[in-house]
Amino acid sequence: MKQALEKIELAAKEQLAKVADSAELEALRVRFLGKKGELTAILKGMAGLSAEERPVIGQLANKVRADIEEAVESRAAELKDAAIRLRLKEEKLDVTLPGKAPKLGRLHPMDTVMREIEDIFIGMGFDIVSGPEVEYDYYNFEALNIPRDHPARDTQDTFYISDNILLRTQTSSVQIHVMENRKPPIRIVSPGRVYRSDAVDATHSPIFHQIEGLVVDKGITMANLVGTLDMLMKRLYGDECKIRLRPHHFPFTEPSAEVDIVCFNCGGKGCPMCKGEGYVELLGAGMVHPKVLKQCGIDPEEYSGFAFGLGLERIVMGKYGINDLRLLYENDLRFLEQF
Ligand code: DAH
């Protein structure tokens, strides 16, 4: 029996050394130490031993069991170690390899210029406000002194949603919202999308962007308007930039003007870009019509104001020398990456 035990221990240690993974190891453990294992089988024969032999063999059997258990445990640790070492080797990371730079996006030129213009106005003490794109006829036309039968409606081909709800054709609608909700002094600009049912070509799009400006306070004059716009254009295009006002008509301003700047392409000599004019038209402006002030509950005897609305696309195109409006909307990276 003593020999049998020693044989088992030897055999177990021999086999353990050959085990390659934890499943094999477990099978081996069951084979030697399990309830139906070889060691148990031998111990069952202890009943036939003499009283002197029994404690000796018993002690030996316990030692063999402890030895095998220890051997199994240490083999398990070895296997675990080997597995980790293998993983480390296979998943080796070479930190000296050049990295993959993530592709960084950038601002669309429209956003760049929009933010630049907003910054300029914030610097002059204006608030930035926004207004709804789906609008009541009242805000887009009626309150701006453009009644139903006014010819000015014809030049702004409108997308109607219902009889009195439409997609705003101009950010001037925000003027009314602001004057309804704030008391003078008012100093705001409002950038946003506007909609007109125009066919797409190099200079037209059914969706484009305007920036509206409105100042209402005591003693506001045309000089404040000119000073503000002059500052805007000099900040945008450089100190040499000159503006020019031409008389015009808008129903919601009196007097009204169109504002041009000296052509950024030819500097005023006349070229194809300014159609030989030497100037490029940039925006509409004027003194807020007393009727509009009154409509919004502001006393025109006490307060006066100026307003302006400029087309963002035209400014972006002028600033970067872009000759086709469609390029701004196509989102072609080859185009956008140039800015
Ligand atoms: N809303 C006008 C347009 O879309 C532009 C405009 C003209 C806005 C004069 C103004 C203004 O605020 O005073 O053609």
Side-chain angles (χ1 to χ4, degrees), residues 54-339:
R54 205 174 294 158
V56 180
I57 295 298
Q59 215 179 3
L60 180 66
N62 281 340
K63 187 179 170 299
V64 167
R65 170 179 290 279
D67 281 356
I68 297 179
E69 272 171 357
E70 201 189 301
V72 167
E73 260 166 46
S74 86
R75 186 68 186 134
E78 271 174 36
L79 286 176
K80 211 169 131 191
D81 241 34
I84 290 175
R85 248 178 281 123
L86 185 74
R87 255 188 77 185
L88 283 176
K89 204 168 140 198
E90 279 176 353
E91 297 174 11
K92 198 154 72 178
L93 179 70
D94 184 350
V95 292
T96 64
L97 281 174
K100 283 185 199 146
K103 228 179 158 169
L104 273 189
R106 65 186 79 196
L107 284 181
H108 190 285
M110 294 279 286
D111 288 308
T112 308
V113 176
M114 181 91 98
R115 289 186 189 190
E116 201 178 323
I117 293 173
E118 285 178 7
D119 277 353
I120 294 169
F121 280 110
I122 288 170
M124 291 194 275
F126 285 65
D127 284 347
I128 313 287
V129 303
S130 61
E133 292 174 24
V134 178
E135 188 56 284
Y136 287 110
D137 184 284
Y138 176 79
Y139 290 93
N140 196 79
F141 291 127
E142 206 80 33
L144 287 164
N145 198 26
I146 314 173
R148 284 239 171 228
D149 53 359
H150 196 287
R153 291 201 181 202
D154 298 343
T155 58
Q156 299 192 359
D157 295 315
T158 310
F159 289 113
Y160 279 96
I161 289 168
S162 71
D163 252 7
N164 68 344
I165 298 175
L166 45 80
L167 296 182
R168 68 177 179 191
T169 60
Q170 49 185 356
T171 46
S172 301
S173 53
V174 185
Q175 288 187 33
I176 307 302
H177 287 291
V178 169
M179 285 191 279
E180 280 181 349
N181 292 311
R182 295 190 185 196
K183 287 194 172 12
I186 291 169
R187 227 180 297 163
I188 61 101
V189 287
S190 183
R193 270 190 285 266
V194 298
Y195 302 82
R196 291 187 199 176
S197 96
D198 277 328
V200 177
D201 66 24
T203 54
H204 291 88
S205 159
I207 304 176
F208 57 101
H209 298 74
Q210 291 187 334
I211 299 175
E212 193 76 14
L214 175 69
V215 170
V216 182
D217 201 353
K218 288 181 179 153
I220 296 293
T221 71
M222 202 88 177
N224 299 119
L225 170 65
V226 176
T228 304
L229 293 177
D230 191 52
M231 170 70 92
L232 169 69
M233 295 310 168
K234 284 191 160 60
R235 294 286 304 278
L236 264 182
Y237 294 106
D239 278 346
E240 342 47 75
C241 180
K242 282 202 184 72
I243 63 170
R244 165 178 95 170
L245 273 73
R246 272 180 295 107
H248 198 76
H249 170 77
F250 294 105
F252 40 93
T253 43
E254 181 58 35
S256 305
E258 278 195 325
V259 181
D260 307 336
I261 64 164
V262 169
C263 175
F264 16 71
N265 194 39
C266 64
K269 286 192 209 80
C271 71
M273 193 149 158
C274 57
K275 301 195 183 88
E277 284 280 321
Y279 284 86
V280 187
E281 179 205 323
L282 274 192
L283 61 113
M287 300 306 291
V288 181
H289 200 295
K291 262 174 117 172
V292 175
L293 290 175
K294 218 182 279 171
Q295 185 76 20
C296 299
I298 294 173
D299 181 1
E301 297 297 327
E302 196 179 353
Y303 291 102
S304 57
F306 69 77
F308 58 89
L310 50 96
L312 186 63
E313 278 79 357
R314 191 171 286 187
I315 292 187
V316 174
M317 289 167 78
K319 203 171 155 74
Y320 295 115
I322 298 165
N323 58 10
D324 193 323
L325 181 70
R326 288 167 287 199
L327 290 167
L328 291 173
Y329 303 128
E330 282 166 353
N331 284 332
D332 186 331
L333 286 179
R334 290 168 301 177
F335 170 75
L336 294 175
E337 276 169 355
Q338 298 174 54
F339 303 98

